Amino acid sequence: MSTGIETTIEFQMSLLLFVALTGYLVASRINQSAVVGEILVGLIVGPSFLALITYTDFVRSLAALGAVILLFVIGLEFDLKDLLDRRYIVIGLFGVAVPWIGGFWLAEAMGYPFGSAVFVGTAMTATSIAITANVLKEMGQLNSAAARAVIGTAVIDDVLSLIALSVSVDVVSGTFSLLTVATTVFKDLAFIVVAGAVGIKLVAPLLEWIDRTPFARRYPEFVFITAMAAAFFFAMGAEFVGISAIIGAFIAGISFKGVDLVHSRDLKEGAEYLHIIFASIFFVSLGILVDINALTPDIMLFLIALTVMAVITKLIGCGIPARLQGVSTRNSLIIGFGMVPRGEVAMIVALIGLNQGLIDQGVYVAIVMMSLLTTVITPIVYRNWLYRGSTDPA
């Protein structure tokens, strides 16, 4: 049985990459981050307008690969000590609590039932590390103090958001217990500690040992393949315990940063090539995922209010605690706006709520659209205000 060429993997992959290239051209024309261009073009070719590409399992899989590879590359830029800062924990806690309260209050004030309000609040807690990290990397600011604060806080925020998701499901379903919450917190923190220890004390020395062998001299790509296999194994482990896969990949990247290679190909250089391809597809997929045709006047009103609340609560929840702990006003704003993108994390929360019948289609559409809008806001604010004319790490 013959099938149309448009259904083949080769055609879909080629089309996705051409769309990503178009995103770069659009970004150049409007003088914005490539992330903004790729998302906008994804929105145009997706079901919202041209319907050339839909969010198939193939696109979803490539996007997931892109997110994992992106966070592995970002992790290679960081030392573990950069993240072990008490200030980040304080900012992360308020960065989850304030948006949850804001989202819950807004949903209830606009007449949505308790269960929906709980899930809206949970979706508001999320932060997409991938979005802000990629923008900072693109602008050459990834080594700045503010960037390290954003990434460190976002990791904590992501873990807390997933804990909030688990608690929300239990609360709405009536199975909530303090023991369940304590177990979830312990499990998530234990994974981060154990994975970091295994990566730094076991896998990193193993990579260096392999690099010194005659085998690595003959096959210099072998260590890179081993490192990527370990990164995906860490990502799988993170998903297994209920944390986002990208956290596992990020921990792997941090663990391998100090690896000293003599004969093998550089880990960062090799991962960058994968990042260029798959991260671009990831950002395009965020635009494809959205269908603005599902908007109604009521949902549009809720969407506008939700987006405004999403920005304000992260600025208050993250920016103010940062300022109170001695961070400069500019860097506090960078941290606050850096935590604004909800991206794929909030979309996942919304999808879980929809699949379990805890929110309706209207709330789902509003959360997904809010996720897209907040994802676009940060690159625009960074490039046109907070980092305008700046090229060196601050």
Side-chain angles (χ1 to χ4, degrees), residues 5-322:
I5 189 173
E6 69 277 1
T7 63
T8 64
I9 292 177
E10 294 84 357
F11 176 82
Q12 293 182 56
M13 187 69 179
S14 178
L15 183 58
L16 283 169
L17 291 176
F18 273 115
V19 168
L21 288 174
T22 306
Y24 276 91
L25 295 176
V26 170
S28 175
R29 293 286 293 180
I30 62 177
N31 192 32
Q32 296 300 328
S33 165
V35 171
V36 174
E38 287 164 345
I39 292 174
L40 290 178
V41 175
L43 187 67
I44 293 170
V45 302
S48 294
F49 294 100
L50 301 180
L52 296 177
I53 307 176
T54 57
Y55 199 70
T56 61
D57 289 339
F58 177 70
V59 175
R60 183 184 297 108
S61 298
L62 291 179
L65 282 176
V68 169
I69 292 169
L70 170 59
L71 264 297
F72 175 69
V73 172
I74 298 301
L76 289 171
E77 303 276 358
F78 285 81
D79 289 317
L80 186 60
K81 60 181 175 61
D82 294 327
L83 304 178
L84 301 178
D85 191 316
R86 175 186 55 82
R87 295 177 299 174
Y88 303 164
I89 298 175
V90 174
I91 298 170
L93 286 170
F94 280 97
V96 167
V98 174
W100 191 94
I101 293 170
F104 177 81
W105 174 85
L106 177 66
E108 284 225 313
M110 297 189 73
Y112 288 94
F114 174 78
S116 295
V118 169
F119 254 83
V120 170
T122 303
M124 294 281 273
T125 65
T127 291
S128 176
I129 312 174
I131 307 295
T132 302
N134 193 76
V135 173
L136 290 167
K137 186 176 189 300
E138 184 182 302
M139 297 175 65
Q141 297 291 332
L142 202 55
N143 290 319
S144 66
R148 294 182 182 279
V150 169
I151 303 300
T153 303
V155 170
I156 295 167
D157 188 282
D158 199 40
V159 173
L160 292 175
S161 296
L162 291 166
I163 293 172
L165 173 60
S166 175
V167 171
S168 297
V169 172
D170 290 343
V171 168
V172 175
S173 61
T175 59
F176 172 78
S177 72
L178 290 176
L179 178 61
T180 302
V181 175
T183 302
T184 301
V185 173
F186 175 79
K187 181 178 63 176
D188 292 351
L189 294 180
F191 171 79
I192 293 174
V193 172
V194 171
V198 169
I200 294 172
K201 299 296 184 181
L202 183 62
V203 182
L206 176 63
L207 294 176
E208 292 181 342
W209 177 80
I210 295 174
D211 176 65
R212 268 63 173 181
T213 64
F215 186 83
R217 292 190 185 94
R218 183 176 181 183
Y219 302 106
E221 68 276 11
F222 187 81
V223 169
F224 173 71
I225 296 173
T226 304
M228 290 307 303
F232 279 104
F233 183 79
F234 276 45
M236 179 193 70
E239 279 211 326
F240 179 76
V241 300
I243 308 177
S244 174
I246 60 178
I247 297 296
F250 182 70
I251 293 172
I254 291 176
S255 301
F256 304 160
K257 181 184 187 296
V259 171
D260 180 26
L261 300 179
V262 178
H263 304 292
S264 301
R265 299 194 185 279
D266 183 67
L267 299 183
K268 184 178 177 182
E269 181 182 357
E272 282 281 5
Y273 288 115
L274 293 177
H275 160 260
I276 291 169
I277 299 295
F278 290 101
S280 296
I281 294 175
F282 165 69
F283 293 118
V284 168
S285 75
L286 295 182
I288 295 172
L289 185 61
V290 175
D291 185 0
I292 65 173
N293 297 309
L295 288 175
T296 64
D298 287 343
I299 298 174
M300 179 68 78
L301 180 62
F302 180 53
L303 167 62
I304 294 171
L306 192 64
T307 303
V308 172
M309 183 66 76
V311 175
I312 291 174
T313 52
K314 282 294 185 180
L315 285 175
I316 293 174
C318 298
I320 291 179

